[in-house]
Amino acid sequence: MSAKPVDARSFYVRSFDTITPGGAPRGGTTPVHPVDPLNPGANPTGADLRGDALRVLVVDDNVDACEGTAMLVDFAGYIVELAFDGPMAIEKAERFRPHVVLLDIAMPRMSGYEVAQRLRANPLTRDALLIALTGLGAADDIARAWQAGFDDYRLKPVDIDELLDLLASRLDQRKKP
């Protein structure tokens, strides 16, 4: 599966309501809305009227990795939120109710293992597809991920085409009666 082409007339804006782990404003609330420079007064939220789109929460303490992954997933047509640590991920997941969580494991404050366990224990988030995106590839790390409740395990750097195929298959499963 390949990502949808981006309209060359569009550029992307983000609101800055999120703080990075270092305390500086960055990234922010997604979805990232395309804005038409030829019609700047148009309602940008109209871009996300994708009723069948998956909601994807991207969680990584590496802000650049988080934003880069979120941008690629957004370009492919999914609705995306970002979180830069475990506590923020849990709070956003309860509010955003993602279908899929792309979750780093090695994070400060709360590991991805603990986040996965808490999401599985919460009735609002227990059915989300949990995909580990991590640099930890030892057999113990993988076994611990399965025990924590992850559904899939991908090593960084992740193959974006494989990841988008995985998201597309999840969307296909949702569409089947």
Side-chain angles (χ1 to χ4, degrees):
M1 175 180 182
S2 59
K4 292 189 286 187
V6 177
D7 181 352
R9 296 182 333 161
S10 297
F11 63 96
Y12 291 83
V13 295
R14 293 177 186 252
S15 64
F16 291 92
D17 75 339
T18 306
I19 304 299
T20 65
R26 185 144 176 216
T29 302
T30 56
V32 179
H33 301 292
V35 176
D36 186 346
L38 300 177
N39 189 8
N43 180 1
T45 59
D48 273 324
L49 297 177
R50 302 173 283 191
D52 64 343
L54 283 179
R55 292 183 305 273
V56 179
L57 177 61
V58 180
V59 185
D60 198 319
D61 62 310
N62 179 321
V63 175
D64 291 332
C66 190
E67 289 183 340
T69 302
M71 186 179 356
L72 292 170
V73 172
D74 178 75
F75 284 168
Y78 302 102
I79 301 169
V80 180
E81 278 277 343
L82 306 170
F84 302 114
D85 63 31
M88 182 187 292
I90 291 167
E91 182 273 322
K92 285 201 174 190
E94 289 175 349
R95 180 179 41 80
F96 182 56
R97 310 268 305 267
H99 300 106
V100 178
V101 180
L102 304 177
L103 181 57
D104 185 26
I105 290 178
M107 296 186 295
R109 297 185 64 201
M110 183 184 297
S111 74
Y113 301 122
E114 186 175 347
V115 173
Q117 290 170 333
R118 290 187 183 196
L119 293 176
R120 286 291 182 233
N122 185 329
L124 297 175
T125 58
R126 74 172 48 143
D127 295 328
L129 178 70
L130 302 182
I131 302 172
L133 298 183
T134 184
L136 304 175
D140 290 350
D141 299 319
I142 296 169
R144 197 167 165 205
W146 298 139
Q147 292 169 352
F150 280 94
D151 298 297
D152 203 310
Y153 196 94
R154 303 293 167 132
L155 286 176
K156 293 179 183 176
V158 67
D159 181 310
I160 193 63
D161 289 327
E162 286 181 14
L163 181 62
L164 293 176
D165 286 344
L166 183 60
L167 295 178
S169 70
R170 179 65 173 201
L171 182 57
D172 289 343
Q173 289 173 357
R174 285 185 57 237
K175 287 181 178 179
K176 291 180 182 175

